[in-house]
Amino acid sequence: MTPGEWIFIGVMATTLAGALAAVLSGSLIYAMFGLVTAMFGVAGIYIYLNAPFLAMMQILIYVGAISILIAFAIMLAGPMYRKPKEWTSPVKFVAALAVALLSLLLLAKVIMGAFRTAGGASPLVVTTQELGRVFLGRLTLPFELISLLIVVSIIGAIMLALFSKGEKREK
């Protein structure tokens, strides 16, 4: 095996380990760390696929911003010992497994259909410069609205935290 294949296997193993830690962890904090690891792994896959712009956006947006928002949500949820434990049953597990398998089959069908139709077409090459022109040209308003949404959600999280501290003092 070539060194590139070993690196790919390492990146895939990191991504799968992070995803499994996120799904199977009993602690929200450990699940968040698993999710961050999985998102770093996806960035590594983008680098392996020669898409450095997507890798950097993965790191900046998902690993950076979304992870911080998840951390805020975990902090706002409060201690888990005050909330009732979520019960699980074999029925829930079988239903989740069925939905996951159906989603996987549907995704595989869509991907295979895309490869069949694009057999004779030339590959699409998009540069970082073209993406920047599109984001800051035609898509300026949605780009700015997303940043505004993130700022408003952070301010809302801070306000909720302040109000919940006031309620604790009154009790």
Side-chain angles (χ1 to χ4, degrees):
M1 288 176 61
T2 65
E5 290 171 340
W6 283 109
I7 292 171
F8 178 73
I9 289 171
V11 168
M12 289 303 298
T14 303
T15 306
L16 287 175
L20 285 174
V23 172
L24 300 176
S25 177
S27 168
L28 285 176
I29 299 296
Y30 291 144
M32 184 187 76
F33 285 135
L35 187 63
V36 168
T37 303
M39 289 189 284
F40 265 121
V42 170
I45 293 170
Y46 285 142
I47 290 172
Y48 187 79
L49 293 173
N50 200 18
F53 178 76
L54 288 178
M56 287 309 298
M57 291 300 105
Q58 175 78 17
I59 291 171
L60 286 174
I61 295 170
Y62 288 101
V63 175
I66 302 299
S67 298
I68 290 171
L69 288 176
I70 291 171
F72 273 129
I74 290 171
M75 288 188 296
L76 287 174
M80 298 305 283
Y81 61 84
R82 290 193 290 164
K83 295 175 179 55
K85 298 256 187 220
E86 188 175 316
W87 57 275
T88 58
S89 67
V91 174
K92 279 188 174 182
F93 179 75
V94 170
L97 188 63
V99 168
L101 288 176
L102 286 173
S103 300
L104 180 67
L105 290 174
L106 179 66
L107 182 63
K109 183 177 180 181
V110 168
I111 289 173
M112 291 304 167
F115 281 125
R116 263 187 251 119
T117 58
S122 63
L124 177 65
V125 177
V126 178
T127 64
T128 307
Q129 183 178 13
E130 291 171 4
L131 283 174
R133 283 191 181 144
V134 169
F135 275 134
L136 299 176
R138 292 185 314 181
L139 300 177
T140 303
L141 181 62
F143 190 70
E144 292 299 325
L145 287 177
I146 289 173
S147 64
L148 180 66
L149 178 69
I150 291 173
V151 169
V152 168
S153 65
I154 291 173
I155 291 172
I158 292 170
M159 295 300 294
L160 284 173
L162 290 175
F163 286 136
S164 68
K165 281 188 176 181
E167 290 174 7
K168 290 178 186 174
R169 288 183 189 148
E170 293 172 3
K171 290 183 181 179

